[in-house]
Amino acid sequence: MDFTLFIDHNTCIRCGKCVRVCPAHIFSLADSKAKVQVNHPETCIKCGHCVAVCHTDSVKHSVFPPEKVHPIDREFLPSPQQVMLLIRSRRSNRAFSRTPVPENYLDSILEAAHRAPTASNQQEVEFTLITDPDKLQKIIEITAQVFAEKVHRINNPVIRFALKTASPSTYRMVSMLNTLVESVKDGKDPILRGATSLIFIHARKDFHYGSIDCNLAYQNGSLMAESLGVSQFYTGFVCRAILEDKKRRINKLLGIEGEIYAGLALGMPSFKYPNYIDKKKISVKKL
């Protein structure tokens, strides 16, 4: 075991909170007069719940020394109304200016994304930040190339007939993809829309929860970007191209060995939206 975990019984008040929050069920408390016991610490997933919940600092975990434990001043937390307004105002604003996103903003967005929950606290999510204009352009070109190859395949008379019958939605997509490919050939950017920064979120190929964890990270990063006044959108076209590209051209370009599951295109806005609009009526099944 590469860490130590114990209870300081001189300060522990036996409240049992560590027992209740531990996902690995490491702690036990027979009754209010007994001492908290640590059982099978080797099963600890190092989530830090026990340290974070203990207001007497009695849980001693070597992974979380005092300098890694920070008090929360809840007076500074946003109200539910403020959080909801942030969520309602978030839009996929693709109207970027040429002003680069400040480095400290990018750092905050990355930290927010990194702090998203992960399966069993494995924290296998990794990030690649691209600000090099040449690499951004190459990503646009590779995405268009992958779609051009897809359009070429679909335009085979036999495949086209089969798709038109079996998958009309895929067949209708051909026209959109072809327009996108031609736009890139004309020197336009319908893919990243002039974004000055791009964050790819990826994980090991053999990590079963990679897609879920990466997209949770994306959502955190997206909301942090919104709070900073940074425009952003999910790179759906690029992620789709990455999924379909057997040659893994974007992975090779960036030296990413794992699987890219999400992407966040970023830029400073040319303008901000003054309004938010209602979405269609929510569909909820209550049981």
Side-chain angles (χ1 to χ4, degrees), residues 245-258:
D245 184 18
K246 304 303 181 184
K247 299 177 182 178
R248 295 174 63 84
R249 280 164 279 195
I250 288 178
N251 290 68
K252 291 176 181 177
L253 171 71
L254 304 174
I256 297 173
E257 295 183 1

Side-chain angles (χ1 to χ4, degrees), residues 199-215:
I199 296 173
F200 279 136
I201 310 174
H202 45 94
R204 294 194 331 265
K205 187 175 183 178
D206 62 348
F207 181 52
H208 295 302
Y209 299 96
S211 177
I212 296 170
D213 286 357
C214 287
N215 280 281

Side-chain angles (χ1 to χ4, degrees), residues 163-274:
L163 280 177
K164 191 173 183 179
T165 304
S167 182
S169 61
T170 303
Y171 179 77
R172 288 193 296 270
M173 190 185 301
V174 175
S175 176
M176 179 192 68
L177 293 180
N178 194 55
T179 299
L180 182 146
V181 170
E182 293 302 317
S183 293
V184 173
K185 288 181 180 179
D186 291 339
K188 299 176 183 177
D189 177 14
I191 295 172
L192 293 182
R193 302 296 187 93
T196 58
S197 302
L198 172 62
I199 296 173
F200 279 136
I201 310 174
H202 45 94
R204 294 194 331 265
K205 187 175 183 178
D206 62 348
F207 181 52
H208 295 302
Y209 299 96
S211 177
I212 296 170
D213 286 357
C214 287
N215 280 281
L216 285 171
Y218 160 82
Q219 188 64 15
N220 262 28
S222 176
L223 289 175
M224 175 55 76
E226 190 70 33
S227 74
L228 291 167
V230 178
S231 292
Q232 22 70 50
F233 66 86
Y234 192 96
T235 57
F237 282 137
V238 182
C239 289
R240 186 66 200 181
I242 289 170
L243 182 65
E244 297 194 14
D245 184 18
K246 304 303 181 184
K247 299 177 182 178
R248 295 174 63 84
R249 280 164 279 195
I250 288 178
N251 290 68
K252 291 176 181 177
L253 171 71
L254 304 174
I256 297 173
E257 295 183 1
E259 296 296 319
I260 300 171
Y261 291 111
L264 184 59
L266 300 154
M268 299 309 294
S270 293
F271 50 80
K272 295 183 179 180
Y273 289 81

Side-chain angles (χ1 to χ4, degrees), residues 48-59:
H49 284 349
C50 56
V51 177
V53 80
C54 184
H55 61 272
T56 61
D57 300 324
S58 300
V59 180

